[in-house]
Amino acid sequence: MSTEIFIDRGDITTLKVDAIVNAANASLLGGSGVDGAIHRAAGRELLAECRTLGGCSTGQAKMTQGYALPAKFIIHTVGPRWRGGTHEEPKLLASCYTSSLQLAVANGVKSIAFPAISCGVYGYPIEQAARVAISATREFLKCDNSLEKIIFTCFDDRVYRAYLDAERTDDRTDR
Ligand code: AR6
């Protein structure tokens, strides 16, 4: 079976999927942006579980329950801060997608939604980040097709357009 990829506008906290991905920081103890929204929607039990995880390195991922969210699990990953592009940002961002997908598959997840990791507070240029997201995901799918559905959730129009462009560009370079 092949994995379907969707690019949708919306709020990731409302999605009824097996797992949503959180763009967290290394403490895993919450913050602003999508992280804050996920913690608010999941409830205080999420913070209690996050406290037991011992943080997370940039490019890695850790999983918790979804608590009050419609999603069963939350995969917390830490994107790189944009520092001009010369500090391994593309490699670290790609690793966020790959690590999250690996963790999802290892836990039997069939449907997963990603936000635009690093594209808010961490300042990663959206067009470049979207290309990394799409290409890292497609690379992963060459070796594993156990996921049924991957959703890139775009919170605003600019992110949405960047993902659509990235998908088209990646399609062309794939041939
Ligand atoms: N659903 C989907 N996407 C969202 C939502 C939502 N509810 N809310 C925001 N976004 P950011 P980062 C988009 O800043 O850049 C936090 O404080 C947002 O529009 O949430 O990885 C953490 O604790 C943007 O496109 O994450 C870290 O300290 C994207 O999510 C730091 O920010 C990511 O923006 C991480 O920064």
Side-chain angles (χ1 to χ4, degrees), residues 58-81:
T58 304
Q60 300 300 304
K62 292 192 179 177
M63 196 162 102
T64 64
Q65 300 297 310
Y67 299 101
L69 288 173
K72 188 165 178 220
F73 299 113
I74 306 165
I75 294 175
H76 306 262
T77 189
V78 183
R81 274 178 201 279

Side-chain angles (χ1 to χ4, degrees), residues 10-12 23-25 30-35 37 115-122 155-156 159:
D11 175 352
I12 204 165
N25 60 60
S32 59
V34 70
D35 195 7
I117 300 162
S118 287
C119 291
V121 174
Y122 281 178
F155 203 50
D156 60 54
V159 171

Side-chain angles (χ1 to χ4, degrees), residues 31-48:
S32 59
V34 70
D35 195 7
I38 288 173
H39 274 266
R40 276 193 301 280
R44 294 196 61 78
E45 282 171 299
L46 173 59
L47 183 59

Side-chain angles (χ1 to χ4, degrees), residues 84-134:
T86 54
H87 294 78
E88 301 201 308
E89 292 94 329
K91 189 174 139 200
L92 290 166
L93 185 60
S95 171
C96 288
Y97 287 91
T98 309
S99 304
S100 299
L101 291 165
Q102 278 165 349
L103 195 53
V105 167
N107 286 279
V109 164
K110 296 292 177 196
S111 54
I112 183 169
F114 284 95
I117 300 162
S118 287
C119 291
V121 174
Y122 281 178
Y124 208 116
I126 293 168
E127 288 72 18
Q128 293 180 48
R131 284 200 290 273
V132 171
I134 299 280

